[in-house]
Amino acid sequence: MASGQPNAENRGRTGAVLALAGLLLWGLCPIAARAGMLSWHHHKADSSAQGKGTVASQPPAFSIPVEPLGFYSPGPYYLGQREALVSLDFVDENRLLFTFRAPGLIHRAVGSDSERQIRAEVLTLPQGAIETEALWTLHDHDRYLWMLHNGYFLLRDENALKEGDSKLALRPLLEFPGPLLSIEMDPGQKYVVTNSFEPLPVKPQEDQVPSPSTAEADVSTDDKQESDKRDIVLRILDRTSGRVMLVSRVRSQVHLPINSDGYVETLPDKPREWLLSFDLFAGGSKVLGQVDSSCQPPIEFLSHDRAIVNTCVFENGRRLVALSTEGHKLWESASPATQIWPILVMSPDGSRLARETLILDHSVEDFGHALDAQDVKGQMVEVFDAAGGKLLLQAPANPILDGGGNVAISPSGKRVAILNAGAIDIYEFKQSEPVSPAR
């Protein structure tokens, strides 16, 4: 069987394992993001939470002012809502795709409360001139754009997924029976992992991706009635053909780190210890290692044979741990307890890694401590060399966007773009070395 294609014998086992992963998902939440643990009082928020933060460890090579592009910083009202207000991405080494919420353009007589318009602009570097632009109408507030290789991108709107190009032309790609909750891809972007909120098994309409059959749905009749006849459906699809390789109904949204050979699960072992199991599509599994973490640590693939684990260290911040798919620890980097809600951004070639976090004015000493918006003093971006973990850059991001989208890394890893203080700052590094297989 070809690599990356689950066989029929393993399909049932994989579905059960993924359902278990859904049950364990609670631990994936960042330290203060769990329900009831973070108290945002918007009437108390002030401009201090939108400050510039720290000074960058090196000056940008050049900057592009964003006000002439039509972008204005969102107010502190949005802090804590984790909305996707911006998406900053490299089309190639010399062009940026900058998309952002365009306020004041919705006609409420015909638009719903969740409807919004997004302005999209392709900018040439270093001048920042607009090469092409478009206006999109979207219908929710979650992440909407994922950059692909060779200047293409995926655009999500409710249950529809479209593919766009550098001219901002869009074509339909996939349609789901219900709203898409999340999208992930392997480093080679061959496969797409989706979570969607869908009705109970019905015959899919024409051009929709198929749903699990009733036999595949691991939900009792009573459970179905209690869930208001909807479930979360997890799929692995071939991005080019749309072919469904795996489909399973799960009890909660599942984060599934995947490469072309399989996917990684984090399984509880001992108190505050987790096993990392690499389950192969061709059959079988192997243990990559064990990590200490006071939460279920999320994992991302940096490249085909390297992964990064984002662990929680109780009362002492977080730690990034880089591993190879052969189970070797490559490097690690700690962050203090004053940095929360980490978001990771990887370069397409796997050579660079950016971690952005919110900066608090005090440590988070326990998971039950409620935070106020006034506790947040800034947003920090740290850029690492993915091969050895060397810290290349520390820089602020402003406005604070806890939903991310304000950091981008170029295809070669040579440039990093950060939205900060009324401009897109472009930082440059020496050409990264080609990523060799991890040993």
PDB file of all heavy atoms in Angstrom, residues 278-295:
ATOM      1  N   PHE A 278       3.799   7.605  17.360  1.00  0.00           N
ATOM      2  CA  PHE A 278       3.732   7.904  15.930  1.00  0.00           C
ATOM      3  C   PHE A 278       3.031   6.734  15.253  1.00  0.00           C
ATOM      4  O   PHE A 278       3.598   5.655  15.103  1.00  0.00           O
ATOM      5  CB  PHE A 278       5.143   8.100  15.383  1.00  0.00           C
ATOM      6  CG  PHE A 278       5.195   8.595  13.965  1.00  0.00           C
ATOM      7  CD1 PHE A 278       4.170   9.331  13.417  1.00  0.00           C
ATOM      8  CD2 PHE A 278       6.304   8.317  13.172  1.00  0.00           C
ATOM      9  CE1 PHE A 278       4.226   9.802  12.121  1.00  0.00           C
ATOM     10  CE2 PHE A 278       6.389   8.781  11.869  1.00  0.00           C
ATOM     11  CZ  PHE A 278       5.342   9.520  11.339  1.00  0.00           C
ATOM     12  N   ASP A 279       1.775   6.935  14.864  1.00  0.00           N
ATOM     13  CA  ASP A 279       0.959   5.885  14.246  1.00  0.00           C
ATOM     14  C   ASP A 279       1.073   5.980  12.730  1.00  0.00           C
ATOM     15  O   ASP A 279       0.751   7.017  12.138  1.00  0.00           O
ATOM     16  CB  ASP A 279      -0.501   6.025  14.673  1.00  0.00           C
ATOM     17  CG  ASP A 279      -0.667   5.873  16.182  1.00  0.00           C
ATOM     18  OD1 ASP A 279       0.182   5.219  16.807  1.00  0.00           O
ATOM     19  OD2 ASP A 279      -1.636   6.424  16.731  1.00  0.00           O
ATOM     20  N   LEU A 280       1.526   4.904  12.102  1.00  0.00           N
ATOM     21  CA  LEU A 280       1.828   4.896  10.680  1.00  0.00           C
ATOM     22  C   LEU A 280       0.602   4.526   9.854  1.00  0.00           C
ATOM     23  O   LEU A 280      -0.157   3.621  10.219  1.00  0.00           O
ATOM     24  CB  LEU A 280       2.964   3.916  10.394  1.00  0.00           C
ATOM     25  CG  LEU A 280       4.274   4.183  11.167  1.00  0.00           C
ATOM     26  CD1 LEU A 280       5.267   3.065  10.915  1.00  0.00           C
ATOM     27  CD2 LEU A 280       4.857   5.528  10.776  1.00  0.00           C
ATOM     28  N   PHE A 281       0.385   5.211   8.746  1.00  0.00           N
ATOM     29  CA  PHE A 281      -0.717   4.885   7.858  1.00  0.00           C
ATOM     30  C   PHE A 281      -0.571   3.470   7.302  1.00  0.00           C
ATOM     31  O   PHE A 281      -1.567   2.789   7.038  1.00  0.00           O
ATOM     32  CB  PHE A 281      -0.775   5.887   6.697  1.00  0.00           C
ATOM     33  CG  PHE A 281      -1.185   7.271   7.107  1.00  0.00           C
ATOM     34  CD1 PHE A 281      -0.582   8.375   6.530  1.00  0.00           C
ATOM     35  CD2 PHE A 281      -2.173   7.468   8.050  1.00  0.00           C
ATOM     36  CE1 PHE A 281      -0.970   9.653   6.890  1.00  0.00           C
ATOM     37  CE2 PHE A 281      -2.562   8.735   8.423  1.00  0.00           C
ATOM     38  CZ  PHE A 281      -1.960   9.837   7.845  1.00  0.00           C
ATOM     39  N   ALA A 282       0.657   3.026   7.097  1.00  0.00           N
ATOM     40  CA  ALA A 282       0.881   1.695   6.536  1.00  0.00           C
ATOM     41  C   ALA A 282       0.649   0.586   7.560  1.00  0.00           C
ATOM     42  O   ALA A 282       0.666  -0.587   7.207  1.00  0.00           O
ATOM     43  CB  ALA A 282       2.304   1.611   5.983  1.00  0.00           C
ATOM     44  N   GLY A 283       0.430   0.978   8.828  1.00  0.00           N
ATOM     45  CA  GLY A 283       0.205   0.000   9.873  1.00  0.00           C
ATOM     46  C   GLY A 283       1.302   0.037  10.919  1.00  0.00           C
ATOM     47  O   GLY A 283       2.470   0.277  10.607  1.00  0.00           O
ATOM     48  N   GLY A 284       0.943  -0.193  12.158  1.00  0.00           N
ATOM     49  CA  GLY A 284       1.906  -0.190  13.243  1.00  0.00           C
ATOM     50  C   GLY A 284       2.136   1.202  13.800  1.00  0.00           C
ATOM     51  O   GLY A 284       1.620   2.209  13.303  1.00  0.00           O
ATOM     52  N   SER A 285       2.916   1.263  14.869  1.00  0.00           N
ATOM     53  CA  SER A 285       3.233   2.539  15.512  1.00  0.00           C
ATOM     54  C   SER A 285       4.563   2.407  16.232  1.00  0.00           C
ATOM     55  O   SER A 285       5.062   1.298  16.449  1.00  0.00           O
ATOM     56  CB  SER A 285       2.133   2.935  16.501  1.00  0.00           C
ATOM     57  OG  SER A 285       2.049   1.999  17.569  1.00  0.00           O
ATOM     58  N   LYS A 286       5.143   3.557  16.601  1.00  0.00           N
ATOM     59  CA  LYS A 286       6.373   3.563  17.381  1.00  0.00           C
ATOM     60  C   LYS A 286       6.352   4.747  18.328  1.00  0.00           C
ATOM     61  O   LYS A 286       5.719   5.777  18.054  1.00  0.00           O
ATOM     62  CB  LYS A 286       7.598   3.621  16.466  1.00  0.00           C
ATOM     63  CG  LYS A 286       7.672   4.842  15.569  1.00  0.00           C
ATOM     64  CD  LYS A 286       8.921   4.786  14.671  1.00  0.00           C
ATOM     65  CE  LYS A 286       8.995   5.981  13.744  1.00  0.00           C
ATOM     66  NZ  LYS A 286      10.199   5.929  12.869  1.00  0.00           N
ATOM     67  N   VAL A 287       7.022   4.607  19.452  1.00  0.00           N
ATOM     68  CA  VAL A 287       7.085   5.663  20.452  1.00  0.00           C
ATOM     69  C   VAL A 287       8.243   6.588  20.121  1.00  0.00           C
ATOM     70  O   VAL A 287       9.389   6.144  20.000  1.00  0.00           O
ATOM     71  CB  VAL A 287       7.238   5.075  21.869  1.00  0.00           C
ATOM     72  CG1 VAL A 287       7.426   6.195  22.898  1.00  0.00           C
ATOM     73  CG2 VAL A 287       6.012   4.230  22.229  1.00  0.00           C
ATOM     74  N   LEU A 288       7.938   7.879  19.968  1.00  0.00           N
ATOM     75  CA  LEU A 288       8.982   8.862  19.689  1.00  0.00           C
ATOM     76  C   LEU A 288       9.709   9.308  20.939  1.00  0.00           C
ATOM     77  O   LEU A 288      10.832   9.779  20.870  1.00  0.00           O
ATOM     78  CB  LEU A 288       8.378  10.089  18.996  1.00  0.00           C
ATOM     79  CG  LEU A 288       7.691   9.866  17.652  1.00  0.00           C
ATOM     80  CD1 LEU A 288       7.273  11.197  17.067  1.00  0.00           C
ATOM     81  CD2 LEU A 288       8.607   9.123  16.700  1.00  0.00           C
ATOM     82  N   GLY A 289       9.047   9.187  22.078  1.00  0.00           N
ATOM     83  CA  GLY A 289       9.664   9.619  23.314  1.00  0.00           C
ATOM     84  C   GLY A 289       8.616   9.947  24.352  1.00  0.00           C
ATOM     85  O   GLY A 289       7.419   9.664  24.189  1.00  0.00           O
ATOM     86  N   GLN A 290       9.074  10.540  25.437  1.00  0.00           N
ATOM     87  CA  GLN A 290       8.210  10.921  26.552  1.00  0.00           C
ATOM     88  C   GLN A 290       8.566  12.341  26.952  1.00  0.00           C
ATOM     89  O   GLN A 290       9.739  12.731  26.938  1.00  0.00           O
ATOM     90  CB  GLN A 290       8.400   9.946  27.727  1.00  0.00           C
ATOM     91  CG  GLN A 290       7.709  10.322  29.017  1.00  0.00           C
ATOM     92  CD  GLN A 290       8.572  11.164  29.940  1.00  0.00           C
ATOM     93  OE1 GLN A 290       9.808  11.070  29.899  1.00  0.00           O
ATOM     94  NE2 GLN A 290       7.943  11.979  30.755  1.00  0.00           N
ATOM     95  N   VAL A 291       7.540  13.165  27.267  1.00  0.00           N
ATOM     96  CA  VAL A 291       7.782  14.535  27.706  1.00  0.00           C
ATOM     97  C   VAL A 291       7.041  14.791  29.006  1.00  0.00           C
ATOM     98  O   VAL A 291       5.993  14.195  29.268  1.00  0.00           O
ATOM     99  CB  VAL A 291       7.344  15.567  26.643  1.00  0.00           C
ATOM    100  CG1 VAL A 291       8.202  15.468  25.398  1.00  0.00           C
ATOM    101  CG2 VAL A 291       5.866  15.419  26.299  1.00  0.00           C
ATOM    102  N   ASP A 292       7.610  15.672  29.815  1.00  0.00           N
ATOM    103  CA  ASP A 292       6.956  16.115  31.046  1.00  0.00           C
ATOM    104  C   ASP A 292       6.124  17.346  30.726  1.00  0.00           C
ATOM    105  O   ASP A 292       6.623  18.313  30.148  1.00  0.00           O
ATOM    106  CB  ASP A 292       7.989  16.465  32.113  1.00  0.00           C
ATOM    107  CG  ASP A 292       8.851  15.272  32.509  1.00  0.00           C
ATOM    108  OD1 ASP A 292       8.334  14.142  32.448  1.00  0.00           O
ATOM    109  OD2 ASP A 292      10.023  15.464  32.869  1.00  0.00           O
ATOM    110  N   SER A 293       4.864  17.318  31.118  1.00  0.00           N
ATOM    111  CA  SER A 293       3.985  18.451  30.853  1.00  0.00           C
ATOM    112  C   SER A 293       2.776  18.382  31.769  1.00  0.00           C
ATOM    113  O   SER A 293       2.218  17.304  32.003  1.00  0.00           O
ATOM    114  CB  SER A 293       3.528  18.458  29.391  1.00  0.00           C
ATOM    115  OG  SER A 293       2.701  19.556  29.125  1.00  0.00           O
ATOM    116  N   SER A 294       2.372  19.534  32.302  1.00  0.00           N
ATOM    117  CA  SER A 294       1.197  19.595  33.156  1.00  0.00           C
ATOM    118  C   SER A 294      -0.083  19.813  32.353  1.00  0.00           C
ATOM    119  O   SER A 294      -1.157  19.928  32.930  1.00  0.00           O
ATOM    120  CB  SER A 294       1.362  20.707  34.200  1.00  0.00           C
ATOM    121  OG  SER A 294       1.793  21.901  33.610  1.00  0.00           O
ATOM    122  N   CYS A 295       0.015  19.884  31.024  1.00  0.00           N
ATOM    123  CA  CYS A 295      -1.154  19.849  30.148  1.00  0.00           C
ATOM    124  C   CYS A 295      -0.846  18.878  29.026  1.00  0.00           C
ATOM    125  O   CYS A 295       0.310  18.508  28.811  1.00  0.00           O
ATOM    126  CB  CYS A 295      -1.459  21.244  29.584  1.00  0.00           C
ATOM    127  SG  CYS A 295      -0.203  21.833  28.405  1.00  0.00           S
TER     128      CYS A 295
END
